[in-house]
Amino acid sequence: MELIESQILSQTQVLQKIRRIAFEIYENNFEESDIVIAGIRGQGHAFAKLLASTLREISPLEASAVLIDVDKDITYESPVEFDCDERFLERKTIIVVDDVLNSGRTLAYSLSPFLSIPVKRIQVAVIVDRNYRRFPIMADYVGYELSTTLSEYVSVVLDDENRMGVYLK
């Protein structure tokens, strides 16, 4: 049986969600001069780059996109690494971003290295929140809340302009 994929959000709608999240982040962090948008490898990092670019466009904030490299399939076995020196993150507000918040496991593991870095504040942003928590992770900024069954799969495509959007299988 072939799974049918249906589009939930179009490219225009996804870009509107990202822009709205950028305004919310600026509103909550207007006193900052710079901010780090740390995206989890894959679509989370693509989200981080789009969000940082939008923040620079709409505000005076210096927004930097950073990669959080973690294996989403075996988070508990893989190290969490950054594509920058950890000292770059010190005493800054960090927005950790991913495409979909489902169980919270990937975000929970991705947050662990920040426990040993003296950061100002950590916030979380996601494009889609599915509300199936197994870990105590809440997103401060959510593009779209989507109630699904556990057997359904949500995919976010941000790095392909021809297919950008949110899909449900």
PDB file of all heavy atoms in Angstrom, residues 40-76:
ATOM      1  N   ILE A  40      18.991  22.219  14.302  1.00  0.00           N
ATOM      2  CA  ILE A  40      19.351  20.804  14.305  1.00  0.00           C
ATOM      3  C   ILE A  40      19.540  20.336  12.862  1.00  0.00           C
ATOM      4  O   ILE A  40      18.757  20.692  11.977  1.00  0.00           O
ATOM      5  CB  ILE A  40      18.274  19.986  15.040  1.00  0.00           C
ATOM      6  CG1 ILE A  40      18.241  20.416  16.518  1.00  0.00           C
ATOM      7  CG2 ILE A  40      18.538  18.484  14.911  1.00  0.00           C
ATOM      8  CD1 ILE A  40      17.103  19.873  17.320  1.00  0.00           C
ATOM      9  N   ARG A  41      20.574  19.542  12.656  1.00  0.00           N
ATOM     10  CA  ARG A  41      20.941  19.068  11.311  1.00  0.00           C
ATOM     11  C   ARG A  41      19.723  18.639  10.504  1.00  0.00           C
ATOM     12  O   ARG A  41      18.813  18.018  11.026  1.00  0.00           O
ATOM     13  CB  ARG A  41      21.918  17.903  11.407  1.00  0.00           C
ATOM     14  CG  ARG A  41      22.356  17.411  10.033  1.00  0.00           C
ATOM     15  CD  ARG A  41      23.466  16.415  10.078  1.00  0.00           C
ATOM     16  NE  ARG A  41      23.358  15.452  11.143  1.00  0.00           N
ATOM     17  CZ  ARG A  41      23.448  14.141  10.978  1.00  0.00           C
ATOM     18  NH1 ARG A  41      23.603  13.641   9.783  1.00  0.00           N
ATOM     19  NH2 ARG A  41      23.390  13.333  12.009  1.00  0.00           N
ATOM     20  N   GLY A  42      19.718  18.983   9.233  1.00  0.00           N
ATOM     21  CA  GLY A  42      18.603  18.680   8.348  1.00  0.00           C
ATOM     22  C   GLY A  42      17.734  19.910   8.163  1.00  0.00           C
ATOM     23  O   GLY A  42      18.249  21.025   8.021  1.00  0.00           O
ATOM     24  N   GLN A  43      16.443  19.725   8.209  1.00  0.00           N
ATOM     25  CA  GLN A  43      15.518  20.832   7.982  1.00  0.00           C
ATOM     26  C   GLN A  43      15.543  21.842   9.128  1.00  0.00           C
ATOM     27  O   GLN A  43      15.202  23.006   8.934  1.00  0.00           O
ATOM     28  CB  GLN A  43      14.103  20.301   7.741  1.00  0.00           C
ATOM     29  CG  GLN A  43      13.989  19.447   6.477  1.00  0.00           C
ATOM     30  CD  GLN A  43      14.538  20.151   5.251  1.00  0.00           C
ATOM     31  OE1 GLN A  43      14.027  21.178   4.828  1.00  0.00           O
ATOM     32  NE2 GLN A  43      15.596  19.596   4.662  1.00  0.00           N
ATOM     33  N   GLY A  44      15.963  21.418  10.315  1.00  0.00           N
ATOM     34  CA  GLY A  44      16.115  22.359  11.430  1.00  0.00           C
ATOM     35  C   GLY A  44      17.172  23.408  11.124  1.00  0.00           C
ATOM     36  O   GLY A  44      17.005  24.586  11.413  1.00  0.00           O
ATOM     37  N   HIS A  45      18.274  22.979  10.492  1.00  0.00           N
ATOM     38  CA  HIS A  45      19.330  23.928  10.133  1.00  0.00           C
ATOM     39  C   HIS A  45      18.871  24.823   8.985  1.00  0.00           C
ATOM     40  O   HIS A  45      19.170  26.028   8.965  1.00  0.00           O
ATOM     41  CB  HIS A  45      20.628  23.199   9.785  1.00  0.00           C
ATOM     42  CG  HIS A  45      21.781  24.126   9.599  1.00  0.00           C
ATOM     43  ND1 HIS A  45      22.472  24.221   8.425  1.00  0.00           N
ATOM     44  CD2 HIS A  45      22.350  25.035  10.428  1.00  0.00           C
ATOM     45  CE1 HIS A  45      23.422  25.135   8.539  1.00  0.00           C
ATOM     46  NE2 HIS A  45      23.365  25.645   9.745  1.00  0.00           N
ATOM     47  N   ALA A  46      18.120  24.273   8.041  1.00  0.00           N
ATOM     48  CA  ALA A  46      17.566  25.091   6.956  1.00  0.00           C
ATOM     49  C   ALA A  46      16.630  26.146   7.544  1.00  0.00           C
ATOM     50  O   ALA A  46      16.641  27.313   7.125  1.00  0.00           O
ATOM     51  CB  ALA A  46      16.821  24.204   5.958  1.00  0.00           C
ATOM     52  N   PHE A  47      15.833  25.759   8.541  1.00  0.00           N
ATOM     53  CA  PHE A  47      14.940  26.676   9.249  1.00  0.00           C
ATOM     54  C   PHE A  47      15.754  27.776   9.933  1.00  0.00           C
ATOM     55  O   PHE A  47      15.426  28.958   9.869  1.00  0.00           O
ATOM     56  CB  PHE A  47      14.084  25.882  10.237  1.00  0.00           C
ATOM     57  CG  PHE A  47      13.159  26.672  11.118  1.00  0.00           C
ATOM     58  CD1 PHE A  47      12.635  27.905  10.744  1.00  0.00           C
ATOM     59  CD2 PHE A  47      12.775  26.156  12.348  1.00  0.00           C
ATOM     60  CE1 PHE A  47      11.765  28.614  11.577  1.00  0.00           C
ATOM     61  CE2 PHE A  47      11.911  26.848  13.176  1.00  0.00           C
ATOM     62  CZ  PHE A  47      11.408  28.078  12.801  1.00  0.00           C
ATOM     63  N   ALA A  48      16.856  27.386  10.592  1.00  0.00           N
ATOM     64  CA  ALA A  48      17.710  28.354  11.298  1.00  0.00           C
ATOM     65  C   ALA A  48      18.253  29.410  10.337  1.00  0.00           C
ATOM     66  O   ALA A  48      18.267  30.606  10.655  1.00  0.00           O
ATOM     67  CB  ALA A  48      18.859  27.625  11.994  1.00  0.00           C
ATOM     68  N   LYS A  49      18.693  28.983   9.152  1.00  0.00           N
ATOM     69  CA  LYS A  49      19.240  29.937   8.180  1.00  0.00           C
ATOM     70  C   LYS A  49      18.163  30.897   7.687  1.00  0.00           C
ATOM     71  O   LYS A  49      18.398  32.108   7.592  1.00  0.00           O
ATOM     72  CB  LYS A  49      19.889  29.190   7.019  1.00  0.00           C
ATOM     73  CG  LYS A  49      21.158  28.458   7.428  1.00  0.00           C
ATOM     74  CD  LYS A  49      21.924  27.910   6.254  1.00  0.00           C
ATOM     75  CE  LYS A  49      21.284  26.662   5.723  1.00  0.00           C
ATOM     76  NZ  LYS A  49      22.096  25.967   4.707  1.00  0.00           N
ATOM     77  N   LEU A  50      16.965  30.383   7.398  1.00  0.00           N
ATOM     78  CA  LEU A  50      15.862  31.248   6.956  1.00  0.00           C
ATOM     79  C   LEU A  50      15.436  32.213   8.061  1.00  0.00           C
ATOM     80  O   LEU A  50      15.177  33.388   7.817  1.00  0.00           O
ATOM     81  CB  LEU A  50      14.655  30.394   6.525  1.00  0.00           C
ATOM     82  CG  LEU A  50      14.810  29.630   5.218  1.00  0.00           C
ATOM     83  CD1 LEU A  50      13.698  28.589   5.074  1.00  0.00           C
ATOM     84  CD2 LEU A  50      14.800  30.590   4.039  1.00  0.00           C
ATOM     85  N   LEU A  51      15.385  31.710   9.290  1.00  0.00           N
ATOM     86  CA  LEU A  51      14.965  32.527  10.432  1.00  0.00           C
ATOM     87  C   LEU A  51      15.995  33.624  10.721  1.00  0.00           C
ATOM     88  O   LEU A  51      15.630  34.776  10.949  1.00  0.00           O
ATOM     89  CB  LEU A  51      14.758  31.621  11.653  1.00  0.00           C
ATOM     90  CG  LEU A  51      14.089  32.212  12.868  1.00  0.00           C
ATOM     91  CD1 LEU A  51      12.732  32.828  12.542  1.00  0.00           C
ATOM     92  CD2 LEU A  51      13.912  31.116  13.927  1.00  0.00           C
ATOM     93  N   ALA A  52      17.281  33.277  10.695  1.00  0.00           N
ATOM     94  CA  ALA A  52      18.332  34.274  10.937  1.00  0.00           C
ATOM     95  C   ALA A  52      18.293  35.356   9.862  1.00  0.00           C
ATOM     96  O   ALA A  52      18.392  36.554  10.165  1.00  0.00           O
ATOM     97  CB  ALA A  52      19.705  33.598  10.973  1.00  0.00           C
ATOM     98  N   SER A  53      18.106  34.958   8.629  1.00  0.00           N
ATOM     99  CA  SER A  53      18.026  35.916   7.521  1.00  0.00           C
ATOM    100  C   SER A  53      16.826  36.849   7.696  1.00  0.00           C
ATOM    101  O   SER A  53      16.947  38.062   7.516  1.00  0.00           O
ATOM    102  CB  SER A  53      17.914  35.144   6.204  1.00  0.00           C
ATOM    103  OG  SER A  53      17.660  36.013   5.146  1.00  0.00           O
ATOM    104  N   THR A  54      15.684  36.293   8.078  1.00  0.00           N
ATOM    105  CA  THR A  54      14.477  37.101   8.287  1.00  0.00           C
ATOM    106  C   THR A  54      14.661  38.051   9.466  1.00  0.00           C
ATOM    107  O   THR A  54      14.262  39.216   9.392  1.00  0.00           O
ATOM    108  CB  THR A  54      13.245  36.197   8.507  1.00  0.00           C
ATOM    109  OG1 THR A  54      13.126  35.296   7.402  1.00  0.00           O
ATOM    110  CG2 THR A  54      11.967  37.010   8.638  1.00  0.00           C
ATOM    111  N   LEU A  55      15.287  37.590  10.538  1.00  0.00           N
ATOM    112  CA  LEU A  55      15.534  38.459  11.702  1.00  0.00           C
ATOM    113  C   LEU A  55      16.434  39.635  11.331  1.00  0.00           C
ATOM    114  O   LEU A  55      16.184  40.766  11.758  1.00  0.00           O
ATOM    115  CB  LEU A  55      16.169  37.660  12.841  1.00  0.00           C
ATOM    116  CG  LEU A  55      15.196  37.009  13.803  1.00  0.00           C
ATOM    117  CD1 LEU A  55      15.893  35.941  14.644  1.00  0.00           C
ATOM    118  CD2 LEU A  55      14.542  38.041  14.695  1.00  0.00           C
ATOM    119  N   ARG A  56      17.449  39.384  10.530  1.00  0.00           N
ATOM    120  CA  ARG A  56      18.339  40.473  10.099  1.00  0.00           C
ATOM    121  C   ARG A  56      17.590  41.464   9.216  1.00  0.00           C
ATOM    122  O   ARG A  56      17.868  42.657   9.237  1.00  0.00           O
ATOM    123  CB  ARG A  56      19.567  39.910   9.373  1.00  0.00           C
ATOM    124  CG  ARG A  56      20.557  39.222  10.299  1.00  0.00           C
ATOM    125  CD  ARG A  56      21.865  38.885   9.599  1.00  0.00           C
ATOM    126  NE  ARG A  56      21.695  38.010   8.462  1.00  0.00           N
ATOM    127  CZ  ARG A  56      21.758  36.677   8.501  1.00  0.00           C
ATOM    128  NH1 ARG A  56      21.978  36.055   9.651  1.00  0.00           N
ATOM    129  NH2 ARG A  56      21.602  35.969   7.399  1.00  0.00           N
ATOM    130  N   GLU A  57      16.623  40.969   8.461  1.00  0.00           N
ATOM    131  CA  GLU A  57      15.833  41.809   7.553  1.00  0.00           C
ATOM    132  C   GLU A  57      14.852  42.713   8.307  1.00  0.00           C
ATOM    133  O   GLU A  57      14.657  43.857   7.935  1.00  0.00           O
ATOM    134  CB  GLU A  57      15.067  40.860   6.620  1.00  0.00           C
ATOM    135  CG  GLU A  57      14.187  41.477   5.590  1.00  0.00           C
ATOM    136  CD  GLU A  57      13.426  40.383   4.837  1.00  0.00           C
ATOM    137  OE1 GLU A  57      14.067  39.456   4.313  1.00  0.00           O
ATOM    138  OE2 GLU A  57      12.185  40.464   4.807  1.00  0.00           O
ATOM    139  N   ILE A  58      14.246  42.198   9.388  1.00  0.00           N
ATOM    140  CA  ILE A  58      13.173  42.935  10.076  1.00  0.00           C
ATOM    141  C   ILE A  58      13.621  43.666  11.326  1.00  0.00           C
ATOM    142  O   ILE A  58      12.831  44.395  11.923  1.00  0.00           O
ATOM    143  CB  ILE A  58      12.003  41.993  10.458  1.00  0.00           C
ATOM    144  CG1 ILE A  58      12.465  40.958  11.498  1.00  0.00           C
ATOM    145  CG2 ILE A  58      11.404  41.328   9.234  1.00  0.00           C
ATOM    146  CD1 ILE A  58      11.355  40.313  12.288  1.00  0.00           C
ATOM    147  N   SER A  59      14.872  43.448  11.759  1.00  0.00           N
ATOM    148  CA  SER A  59      15.304  44.022  13.040  1.00  0.00           C
ATOM    149  C   SER A  59      16.774  44.407  12.989  1.00  0.00           C
ATOM    150  O   SER A  59      17.497  43.985  12.087  1.00  0.00           O
ATOM    151  CB  SER A  59      15.080  42.996  14.159  1.00  0.00           C
ATOM    152  OG  SER A  59      16.079  41.990  14.109  1.00  0.00           O
ATOM    153  N   PRO A  60      17.224  45.138  13.998  1.00  0.00           N
ATOM    154  CA  PRO A  60      18.646  45.467  14.076  1.00  0.00           C
ATOM    155  C   PRO A  60      19.487  44.335  14.698  1.00  0.00           C
ATOM    156  O   PRO A  60      20.693  44.463  14.827  1.00  0.00           O
ATOM    157  CB  PRO A  60      18.670  46.712  14.974  1.00  0.00           C
ATOM    158  CG  PRO A  60      17.468  46.574  15.842  1.00  0.00           C
ATOM    159  CD  PRO A  60      16.432  45.879  14.999  1.00  0.00           C
ATOM    160  N   LEU A  61      18.845  43.224  15.084  1.00  0.00           N
ATOM    161  CA  LEU A  61      19.572  42.111  15.692  1.00  0.00           C
ATOM    162  C   LEU A  61      20.575  41.512  14.722  1.00  0.00           C
ATOM    163  O   LEU A  61      20.283  41.347  13.536  1.00  0.00           O
ATOM    164  CB  LEU A  61      18.604  40.987  16.094  1.00  0.00           C
ATOM    165  CG  LEU A  61      17.688  41.198  17.281  1.00  0.00           C
ATOM    166  CD1 LEU A  61      16.763  40.007  17.450  1.00  0.00           C
ATOM    167  CD2 LEU A  61      18.491  41.422  18.539  1.00  0.00           C
ATOM    168  N   GLU A  62      21.741  41.172  15.238  1.00  0.00           N
ATOM    169  CA  GLU A  62      22.709  40.416  14.455  1.00  0.00           C
ATOM    170  C   GLU A  62      22.404  38.948  14.744  1.00  0.00           C
ATOM    171  O   GLU A  62      22.730  38.442  15.816  1.00  0.00           O
ATOM    172  CB  GLU A  62      24.146  40.774  14.852  1.00  0.00           C
ATOM    173  CG  GLU A  62      25.192  40.036  14.057  1.00  0.00           C
ATOM    174  CD  GLU A  62      24.987  40.120  12.544  1.00  0.00           C
ATOM    175  OE1 GLU A  62      24.762  41.219  12.020  1.00  0.00           O
ATOM    176  OE2 GLU A  62      25.042  39.061  11.888  1.00  0.00           O
ATOM    177  N   ALA A  63      21.742  38.275  13.813  1.00  0.00           N
ATOM    178  CA  ALA A  63      21.329  36.883  14.000  1.00  0.00           C
ATOM    179  C   ALA A  63      22.271  35.968  13.242  1.00  0.00           C
ATOM    180  O   ALA A  63      22.476  36.130  12.045  1.00  0.00           O
ATOM    181  CB  ALA A  63      19.896  36.702  13.519  1.00  0.00           C
ATOM    182  N   SER A  64      22.860  34.998  13.955  1.00  0.00           N
ATOM    183  CA  SER A  64      23.787  34.043  13.351  1.00  0.00           C
ATOM    184  C   SER A  64      23.178  32.658  13.380  1.00  0.00           C
ATOM    185  O   SER A  64      22.688  32.209  14.426  1.00  0.00           O
ATOM    186  CB  SER A  64      25.100  34.008  14.129  1.00  0.00           C
ATOM    187  OG  SER A  64      25.651  35.298  14.211  1.00  0.00           O
ATOM    188  N   ALA A  65      23.223  31.964  12.249  1.00  0.00           N
ATOM    189  CA  ALA A  65      22.736  30.577  12.192  1.00  0.00           C
ATOM    190  C   ALA A  65      23.899  29.642  12.486  1.00  0.00           C
ATOM    191  O   ALA A  65      24.979  29.774  11.921  1.00  0.00           O
ATOM    192  CB  ALA A  65      22.152  30.287  10.820  1.00  0.00           C
ATOM    193  N   VAL A  66      23.652  28.698  13.397  1.00  0.00           N
ATOM    194  CA  VAL A  66      24.659  27.722  13.809  1.00  0.00           C
ATOM    195  C   VAL A  66      24.049  26.328  13.634  1.00  0.00           C
ATOM    196  O   VAL A  66      22.860  26.134  13.867  1.00  0.00           O
ATOM    197  CB  VAL A  66      25.053  27.958  15.291  1.00  0.00           C
ATOM    198  CG1 VAL A  66      25.849  26.811  15.857  1.00  0.00           C
ATOM    199  CG2 VAL A  66      25.817  29.266  15.427  1.00  0.00           C
ATOM    200  N   LEU A  67      24.879  25.373  13.245  1.00  0.00           N
ATOM    201  CA  LEU A  67      24.434  23.991  13.072  1.00  0.00           C
ATOM    202  C   LEU A  67      24.624  23.199  14.361  1.00  0.00           C
ATOM    203  O   LEU A  67      25.703  23.225  14.958  1.00  0.00           O
ATOM    204  CB  LEU A  67      25.233  23.317  11.953  1.00  0.00           C
ATOM    205  CG  LEU A  67      25.056  21.804  11.799  1.00  0.00           C
ATOM    206  CD1 LEU A  67      23.664  21.479  11.258  1.00  0.00           C
ATOM    207  CD2 LEU A  67      26.123  21.230  10.889  1.00  0.00           C
ATOM    208  N   ILE A  68      23.558  22.515  14.788  1.00  0.00           N
ATOM    209  CA  ILE A  68      23.667  21.525  15.864  1.00  0.00           C
ATOM    210  C   ILE A  68      23.699  20.179  15.155  1.00  0.00           C
ATOM    211  O   ILE A  68      22.716  19.770  14.532  1.00  0.00           O
ATOM    212  CB  ILE A  68      22.465  21.572  16.834  1.00  0.00           C
ATOM    213  CG1 ILE A  68      22.375  22.920  17.532  1.00  0.00           C
ATOM    214  CG2 ILE A  68      22.566  20.435  17.852  1.00  0.00           C
ATOM    215  CD1 ILE A  68      21.149  23.072  18.428  1.00  0.00           C
ATOM    216  N   ASP A  69      24.823  19.501  15.244  1.00  0.00           N
ATOM    217  CA  ASP A  69      24.977  18.222  14.554  1.00  0.00           C
ATOM    218  C   ASP A  69      24.703  17.082  15.524  1.00  0.00           C
ATOM    219  O   ASP A  69      25.491  16.824  16.430  1.00  0.00           O
ATOM    220  CB  ASP A  69      26.388  18.121  13.964  1.00  0.00           C
ATOM    221  CG  ASP A  69      26.511  17.003  12.950  1.00  0.00           C
ATOM    222  OD1 ASP A  69      25.482  16.361  12.640  1.00  0.00           O
ATOM    223  OD2 ASP A  69      27.628  16.776  12.453  1.00  0.00           O
ATOM    224  N   VAL A  70      23.563  16.436  15.335  1.00  0.00           N
ATOM    225  CA  VAL A  70      23.176  15.293  16.167  1.00  0.00           C
ATOM    226  C   VAL A  70      22.462  14.303  15.257  1.00  0.00           C
ATOM    227  O   VAL A  70      21.757  14.702  14.332  1.00  0.00           O
ATOM    228  CB  VAL A  70      22.272  15.726  17.361  1.00  0.00           C
ATOM    229  CG1 VAL A  70      20.968  16.329  16.885  1.00  0.00           C
ATOM    230  CG2 VAL A  70      22.008  14.570  18.303  1.00  0.00           C
ATOM    231  N   ASP A  71      22.663  13.027  15.508  1.00  0.00           N
ATOM    232  CA  ASP A  71      21.986  11.992  14.726  1.00  0.00           C
ATOM    233  C   ASP A  71      20.599  11.777  15.310  1.00  0.00           C
ATOM    234  O   ASP A  71      20.459  11.283  16.429  1.00  0.00           O
ATOM    235  CB  ASP A  71      22.804  10.699  14.755  1.00  0.00           C
ATOM    236  CG  ASP A  71      22.253   9.647  13.817  1.00  0.00           C
ATOM    237  OD1 ASP A  71      21.025   9.615  13.585  1.00  0.00           O
ATOM    238  OD2 ASP A  71      23.063   8.857  13.298  1.00  0.00           O
ATOM    239  N   LYS A  72      19.561  12.154  14.568  1.00  0.00           N
ATOM    240  CA  LYS A  72      18.190  12.067  15.074  1.00  0.00           C
ATOM    241  C   LYS A  72      17.740  10.632  15.330  1.00  0.00           C
ATOM    242  O   LYS A  72      16.850  10.401  16.138  1.00  0.00           O
ATOM    243  CB  LYS A  72      17.210  12.716  14.091  1.00  0.00           C
ATOM    244  CG  LYS A  72      17.311  14.213  14.030  1.00  0.00           C
ATOM    245  CD  LYS A  72      16.244  14.772  13.122  1.00  0.00           C
ATOM    246  CE  LYS A  72      16.224  16.278  13.171  1.00  0.00           C
ATOM    247  NZ  LYS A  72      15.060  16.838  12.508  1.00  0.00           N
ATOM    248  N   ASP A  73      18.360   9.662  14.647  1.00  0.00           N
ATOM    249  CA  ASP A  73      17.949   8.275  14.802  1.00  0.00           C
ATOM    250  C   ASP A  73      18.524   7.629  16.059  1.00  0.00           C
ATOM    251  O   ASP A  73      17.895   6.755  16.650  1.00  0.00           O
ATOM    252  CB  ASP A  73      18.340   7.463  13.565  1.00  0.00           C
ATOM    253  CG  ASP A  73      17.617   7.963  12.327  1.00  0.00           C
ATOM    254  OD1 ASP A  73      16.427   8.337  12.437  1.00  0.00           O
ATOM    255  OD2 ASP A  73      18.246   7.997  11.251  1.00  0.00           O
ATOM    256  N   ILE A  74      19.729   8.024  16.442  1.00  0.00           N
ATOM    257  CA  ILE A  74      20.347   7.467  17.656  1.00  0.00           C
ATOM    258  C   ILE A  74      20.897   8.597  18.517  1.00  0.00           C
ATOM    259  O   ILE A  74      22.082   8.664  18.806  1.00  0.00           O
ATOM    260  CB  ILE A  74      21.453   6.433  17.321  1.00  0.00           C
ATOM    261  CG1 ILE A  74      22.462   7.014  16.326  1.00  0.00           C
ATOM    262  CG2 ILE A  74      20.867   5.131  16.822  1.00  0.00           C
ATOM    263  CD1 ILE A  74      23.701   6.170  16.135  1.00  0.00           C
ATOM    264  N   THR A  75      20.014   9.474  18.947  1.00  0.00           N
ATOM    265  CA  THR A  75      20.430  10.662  19.695  1.00  0.00           C
ATOM    266  C   THR A  75      21.214  10.315  20.956  1.00  0.00           C
ATOM    267  O   THR A  75      22.151  11.018  21.307  1.00  0.00           O
ATOM    268  CB  THR A  75      19.202  11.494  20.106  1.00  0.00           C
ATOM    269  OG1 THR A  75      18.255  10.633  20.733  1.00  0.00           O
ATOM    270  CG2 THR A  75      18.570  12.167  18.910  1.00  0.00           C
ATOM    271  N   TYR A  76      20.834   9.254  21.635  1.00  0.00           N
ATOM    272  CA  TYR A  76      21.467   8.890  22.899  1.00  0.00           C
ATOM    273  C   TYR A  76      22.871   8.326  22.712  1.00  0.00           C
ATOM    274  O   TYR A  76      23.630   8.234  23.664  1.00  0.00           O
ATOM    275  CB  TYR A  76      20.597   7.880  23.664  1.00  0.00           C
ATOM    276  CG  TYR A  76      20.138   6.728  22.798  1.00  0.00           C
ATOM    277  CD1 TYR A  76      20.897   5.583  22.662  1.00  0.00           C
ATOM    278  CD2 TYR A  76      18.951   6.820  22.080  1.00  0.00           C
ATOM    279  CE1 TYR A  76      20.500   4.552  21.845  1.00  0.00           C
ATOM    280  CE2 TYR A  76      18.537   5.784  21.262  1.00  0.00           C
ATOM    281  CZ  TYR A  76      19.321   4.650  21.144  1.00  0.00           C
ATOM    282  OH  TYR A  76      18.918   3.633  20.328  1.00  0.00           O
TER     283      TYR A  76
END
